Structures are given as C-alpha cells and as structure tokens.
Amino acid sequence: MKGVQVSDTPMEFLVEYLTRAQEICDGMAHIPAELKDNLGKALELASGLDHYLEGMTSKESEQLAELNAETVSHDWDQAYKDGKTMFCLPKECITGHVEGQTLKMLVRMSKARRVLEVGMFTGYGALSMAEGLPQDGRLVACELEPYLKEFSQPFFDKSPHGKKITVKTGPAMDTLKDLADAGEQFDMVFIDADKNNYINYYNFILDNALLRLDGVICVDNSLFKGRVYLREVEDENAKALRRFNQFVCDDPRVEQVIVPLRDGLSIIRLVPMATASTLQQSPITDDVVFRGVGGASVLGRMRLDGKVAYVTGAGQGIGRGFAHALGEAGAKVAVVDIDEAKAKSVVEELTLKGIRSIPIVADISESEDVQRMVDTVVSTWGTIHIACNNAGINMNSASEDTTLSEWDKTFNVNLRGTFMCCQAAGRVMLKQGYGKIINTASMASLIVPHPQKQLSYNASKAGVVKLTQTLGTEWIDRGVNVNCISPGIVDTPLIHSESLRPLVQRWLSDVPAGRLAQVTDLQAALVYLACDASNYMTGHNLVIEGGQSLW
Ligand SMILES: C[S@@+](CC[C@H](N)C(=O)[O-])C[C@H]1O[C@@H](n2cnc3c(N)ncnc32)[C@H](O)[C@@H]1O
C-alpha cells in the first residue's frame, strides 16, 4: 500500500473516470473534436479543484506536516501483519490538510472548549482541532487501536497543543458510555470511526446529552465516495451512511448541511428550541425563561454588539482591562487617558483584536476636557451607551499631614471628575432614554485599608458610592442605570512601587482569597453592568475584593 494513491473521494473518482475516458478517446479514431474538447475541460475542472483548495488553505503547522508525512509513509500493511493493529488501516484514513484546517476553523468559530473525536487514527484531526482550542481547552479522542495511541503520542508531545488531547483506547461506544456516566459534555463532536456505527454514536451522544445545547457534530465521509447517492450500491458502509444522512436530515432535534469537502463533511447543529408540535404536547412553561429574553440566552444577553463605550483611565491597569472587556463583548471603545502614548498603545492592542477604538486624551478633572471627550465620542460614533468612569488617583499621607492641595487634587479627579463625566455622558443618555454608567469606586469606600494612610482617597471613593446611589435612583426611570464597582487591592504596576512593595505581604494576610485581585477578575462584572442583563440593577456597589471587606 505504501506510496500508492487510491481514489477515495467523489472528486478523485471523477478524475479517475474522466482520465480513463480521455485515454480511451485518445486511442480511438473518429472521436468528435467537440467531445474531446468537453472531456478535456471536464477533466481540467475536476482535477484542479483539490490542488487549488490545498494551495489556498492556510498552511498546516510544522507538527501536523510531520504527522502527516509519517502517517502516509508508514507501512500499515506490515503493522497489521506484525499483529500491531487489529485491522489493516489504509493511510487514506487520515483527515489531511484541508479538512484538518476546516475542523480547526469550526472549533474556533464555535468557540468550542471541549471537543470529542470518535475515531482518531494517527491524530491528525485531533491535533488540528486542539490547535483551535483555547489554552484550557480539552479534546478527548476515542480510538480502538492501542497501537495508534502509541504512534500519535510522540507527535502530540512535540506540539504546544498536544497536552489538550486525552486518548481513550477501546471501542468508542464503551468510551462514550464512560463519558456519559461521568457527566461529561462537549461543545463539538467529530465522528470519524466505523461507518455502520455512526447512527449509534450519533443517537447515544444526543440521547445522553454529551453535546451541549447549540453544540456542533461534524461527521466525516458522509458522501462516502459518492456511493450515498449512486444508484447501484452493494457496499454495506455506503448503505449505512445513506441511512444515517437521511435519519439526521429528518431528525427534528438538529439542522444539517453536508459540505462536499473531500469525502463529504456533515455539519450538524443541535437546535436549542423544541418544535411547535413538541411544545404543544409537553408540560413545559413556554415563557422568557424557557426561550430567553428576546430569544437570547443569558450569555447572549451579555453581548454588547453595536454599543458605544468610553473608558477613562484606560491607558493602563484596570481601565485597560475594562477597555478590552467591553471591546471583546462587542462594543466600540473610546480609550481615554491623560497620557496620549498609553491611550494610543491600548488602541493598537484593541485594533489587533478587531475591536473598533479611538484614543482620546483628556484630564477628567478639567470640565472642558470632559465635555470634549463626550463630544468626540458622539461625533465619531453618534452616541454613548456605556460610560465607564474609571480614572482615579491615590496619594498617601498621614491625615494630620494631609495638605489641602493633596485633598483637592484627589477629590478633583476621583469625585468631582467622576461627577463631571457622569453628568456630561448622562445628558446624552437621558436624551436617548438609554445608558449604562459604571463608576470605579474602591473597597476603601467600605473599609479603611491599612497600614497605608490615604484619607483623601478613602473619602473620595466613599463619595463615588454616594454619587452612584444618588444618580442611580434619580435616572433609572429615564433608562439610565448608574452602578459602581469596588475593587480590592489590584495587582497593577502601581502597587509594585518602592513605597508600596513592602506592604504586599501584609495585605495578602488580610485577603480571604489569599491573593491580590487581577485586572481580569473585574472584567465580567463590568460587562454585566454594561449590558441589558443588569437593567434592573441601579445605584449599587459591586464589591470584588476576594472577601477582604468581610474580615
Ligand atoms: C477514518 S479513521 C479516523 C481518522 C482521524 N479522524 C484523523 O483525523 O485522521 C477511523 C479510525 O476509527 C477507528 N475505529 C474504528 N472502529 C472503531 C471503534 N469501534 N471504536 C473506536 N475507534 C474505532 C479506526 O481504528 C481508525 O483509526
């Protein structure tokens, strides 16, 4: 079998038949020129497609290329004769470059975190999909042949994505039962094992909730060399696939398309909603809890697509994390900072992630700057939906030594500045009857953090909470929610300064969570307060401090 190319897909058979027809024609006299011409054109069309798709598909990784080369050059006949494999495995089993990249793309597009593969062979498809998974993603591959696990493991070990893969050897149905017993669930399943069992795998997966709602099943070889639609077919596997395709097509639980890629790739999506007839027959309560508000799931309601936001103090630390969070959730983001270079650098980061953003330089303690900031956002994107008033400063001094200048500077930014931002953005929002204002307060609004002395900061942040409560109750009936977030001590470059570094150990002993907050610990709270899922929440202070204020 080594090196021999065997037709395996409808297109490869078409090329084979057309080539044979052309050879026959070439050996015969009196063939009409038009027939020869059409045959030539048909052959060119058919034989060019796979090469073109190969060439135009993103290159595979070095590790996949090596795995492919080793798989196709391996002597599988010999492995079978030597008793290493139970079955004689054709090298054509391998998923290959174009399909591998398609699977990887589907993993990325469906944002899958957990993938199940039924039928791994040497792991080309498994590794392709693992490359598309996030760092904490996991892929379970079922494979009958223990020899294939041994074969693939060194390639997985060489790849930075190999650790995501767990291979379970034995009959796939046994593994599926174990996974169901363990309560496992997957976002995407790739079925590519023994064809006569496809329907059993498929039904078991759906009946035992191994696929999450809205999850995707991909099925390989669903065209089975074209034999699923050819008339004269004796092949049992082809008949099994024909029945399988029809069964899935008629199954009200799913939607299906068959993509004529290589030997056919079915993409099957579990439809989240029951059909009208099942709803009528069942005792379920068909309301917004069941269907989702506006048809959107709770996570869907946290999307911010089409929303316009600004974040002050977004050049670094918490504000930078907030700008990324709002952008990742779909909003356009104005990155506001007093430092132009920092604002521009965050805009560059967001642009790299495909997030629309602009830098705005503004000192929020200056009323003209605040108005210019709001005017710039409105003139650029037409309005403001989300105002994230985050900029703040902190100076340390014992209260008996605190100067009025320190007090004024702190209050001018933290409280007066935040008020000016709320007012300027609030005017735009009240006019349109919609807005989300999220102020950054601090755990210092609740407790007196120690041992550092920061009277002005503590008092100004307590003011931010009262400002938030007052605006939150005053504006809610006109569609504007005002809330604030109170972070505990956040691990930003500021706390690594010479003066604060010695305090870190002391602080740590005050935090039940045993660590300081990361900027990323605050992001989901902001998105929640910025989205419509929090429409009934106003004037509140969401405290995220690892439990510190409770001790
Ligand atoms: C077409 S190949 C899979 C190709 C693979 N998905 C890839 O990406 O290259 C089919 C594989 O399914 C395995 N297989 C067949 N019957 C099986 C079963 N009952 N349980 C688990 N694996 C099985 C075979 O040993 C073979 O490795």
Side-chain angles (χ1 to χ4, degrees), residues 439-455:
N439 299 321
T440 299
S442 163
M443 173 184 66
S445 66
L446 297 168
I447 64 166
V448 178
H450 67 114
Q452 71 277 26
K453 306 280 186 276
Q454 45 179 45
L455 165 76

Side-chain angles (χ1 to χ4, degrees), residues 58-66 101 104 124 127 131 159 161:
S58 300
K59 295 277 165 285
E60 64 200 341
S61 66
E62 217 180 282
Q63 293 84 10
L64 282 171
E66 198 188 334
Q101 293 302 306
K104 176 173 160 183
Y124 189 93
L127 192 54
E131 288 182 359
S159 160
H161 304 278

Side-chain angles (χ1 to χ4, degrees), residues 242-295:
R242 189 183 287 191
R243 281 195 301 277
F244 173 77
N245 289 343
Q246 190 65 56
F247 180 85
V248 177
C249 184
D250 296 338
D251 188 346
R253 296 173 295 181
V254 298
E255 293 168 347
Q256 161 172 263
V257 288
I258 298 181
V259 183
L261 178 83
R262 304 286 305 155
D263 199 23
L265 182 71
S266 298
I267 303 175
I268 300 164
R269 177 175 158 265
L270 186 56
V271 185
M273 205 48 67
T275 61
S277 66
T278 32
L279 284 180
Q280 269 165 13
Q281 290 156 18
S282 79
I284 63 150
T285 308
D286 186 8
D287 60 1
V288 281
V289 174
F290 179 72
R291 286 180 180 270
V293 178

Side-chain angles (χ1 to χ4, degrees), residues 468-502:
T468 302
Q469 289 172 347
T470 310
L471 296 176
T473 50
E474 203 174 313
W475 290 351
I476 184 64
D477 62 350
R478 284 177 282 163
V480 179
N481 300 61
V482 188
N483 290 288
C484 61
I485 293 176
S486 276
I489 301 167
V490 183
D491 189 0
T492 64
L494 288 180
I495 68 151
H496 294 288
S497 65
E498 290 269 305
S499 58
L500 294 182
R501 210 179 307 133

Side-chain angles (χ1 to χ4, degrees), residues 87 89 92-96 103 117-126 142-145 148 170-173 190 192-195 197 201 220-221:
F87 295 94
L89 301 158
E92 287 76 19
C93 268
I94 194 165
T95 295
L103 291 168
E117 184 182 40
V118 182
M120 178 190 75
F121 192 41
T122 57
Y124 189 93
C142 312
E143 176 50 57
L144 184 67
E145 306 268 7
L148 292 173
M173 192 48 95
F190 179 44
D192 190 15
D194 41 339
K195 313 302 162 202
N197 257 327
Y201 297 140
D220 200 20
N221 306 106

Side-chain angles (χ1 to χ4, degrees), residues 187-458:
D187 307 312
M188 182 167 149
V189 178
F190 179 44
I191 302 179
D192 190 15
D194 41 339
K195 313 302 162 202
N196 56 335
N197 257 327
Y198 270 22
I199 199 152
N200 299 327
Y201 297 140
Y202 169 86
N203 275 325
F204 187 89
I205 287 162
L206 292 197
D207 294 345
N208 292 278
L210 274 171
L211 185 69
R212 75 151 161 80
L213 205 67
D214 222 11
V216 173
I217 301 184
C218 295
V219 178
D220 200 20
N221 306 106
S222 49
L223 290 177
F224 206 71
K225 309 167 206 296
R227 292 180 201 164
V228 287
Y229 58 86
L230 294 179
R231 266 166 301 167
E232 308 277 318
V233 171
E234 293 305 318
D235 185 332
E236 283 310 314
N237 282 335
K239 286 183 186 168
L241 268 164
R242 189 183 287 191
R243 281 195 301 277
F244 173 77
N245 289 343
Q246 190 65 56
F247 180 85
V248 177
C249 184
D250 296 338
D251 188 346
R253 296 173 295 181
V254 298
E255 293 168 347
Q256 161 172 263
V257 288
I258 298 181
V259 183
L261 178 83
R262 304 286 305 155
D263 199 23
L265 182 71
S266 298
I267 303 175
I268 300 164
R269 177 175 158 265
L270 186 56
V271 185
M273 205 48 67
T275 61
S277 66
T278 32
L279 284 180
Q280 269 165 13
Q281 290 156 18
S282 79
I284 63 150
T285 308
D286 186 8
D287 60 1
V288 281
V289 174
F290 179 72
R291 286 180 180 270
V293 178
S297 70
V298 68
L299 287 180
R301 282 195 282 143
M302 292 184 78
R303 294 286 319 166
L304 300 174
D305 302 297
K307 293 282 171 18
V308 172
Y310 75 74
V311 182
T312 65
Q316 62 182 351
I318 297 175
R320 171 173 168 259
F322 280 174
H324 274 263
L326 295 174
E328 285 171 17
K332 300 190 254 285
V333 188
V335 176
V336 186
D337 206 280
I338 199 166
D339 183 323
E340 184 176 15
K342 285 182 177 164
K344 282 188 168 164
S345 137
V346 173
V347 165
E348 256 178 59
E349 293 172 8
L350 297 179
T351 307
L352 281 175
K353 286 164 75 167
I355 297 164
R356 282 233 173 132
S357 59
I358 51 165
I360 299 178
V361 181
D363 175 351
I364 61 137
S365 65
E366 299 290 341
S367 62
E368 302 79 38
D369 279 23
V370 170
Q371 195 52 53
R372 182 176 44 79
M373 166 187 84
V374 166
D375 292 346
T376 306
V377 180
V378 173
S379 66
T380 309
W381 290 320
T383 188
I384 299 173
H385 301 110
I386 301 160
C388 181
N389 302 314
N390 165 74
I393 57 170
N394 187 3
M395 288 183 267
N396 295 90
S397 62
S399 299
E400 63 272 29
D401 300 326
T402 298
T403 61
L404 282 182
S405 145
E406 180 181 326
W407 174 276
D408 287 344
K409 267 191 200 152
T410 309
F411 269 70
N412 280 347
V413 178
N414 293 7
L415 188 52
R416 188 169 171 273
T418 300
F419 165 61
M420 290 194 293
C421 291
C422 286
Q423 191 181 52
R427 285 175 179 149
V428 175
M429 294 172 171
L430 290 167
K431 222 168 169 185
Q432 69 194 5
Y434 181 90
K436 298 277 181 177
I437 297 178
I438 305 103
N439 299 321
T440 299
S442 163
M443 173 184 66
S445 66
L446 297 168
I447 64 166
V448 178
H450 67 114
Q452 71 277 26
K453 306 280 186 276
Q454 45 179 45
L455 165 76
S456 315
Y457 182 82
N458 297 350

Side-chain angles (χ1 to χ4, degrees), residues 1 74-91 93 121 143-148 170-172 193-194 196-197 201 237:
M1 130 148 17
H74 194 69
D75 194 338
W76 295 102
D77 279 349
Q78 197 56 48
Y80 176 57
K81 281 182 201 144
D82 293 346
K84 291 178 178 164
T85 60
M86 292 172 239
F87 295 94
C88 187
L89 301 158
K91 66 179 180 346
C93 268
F121 192 41
E143 176 50 57
L144 184 67
E145 306 268 7
Y147 178 69
L148 292 173
D194 41 339
N196 56 335
N197 257 327
Y201 297 140
N237 282 335

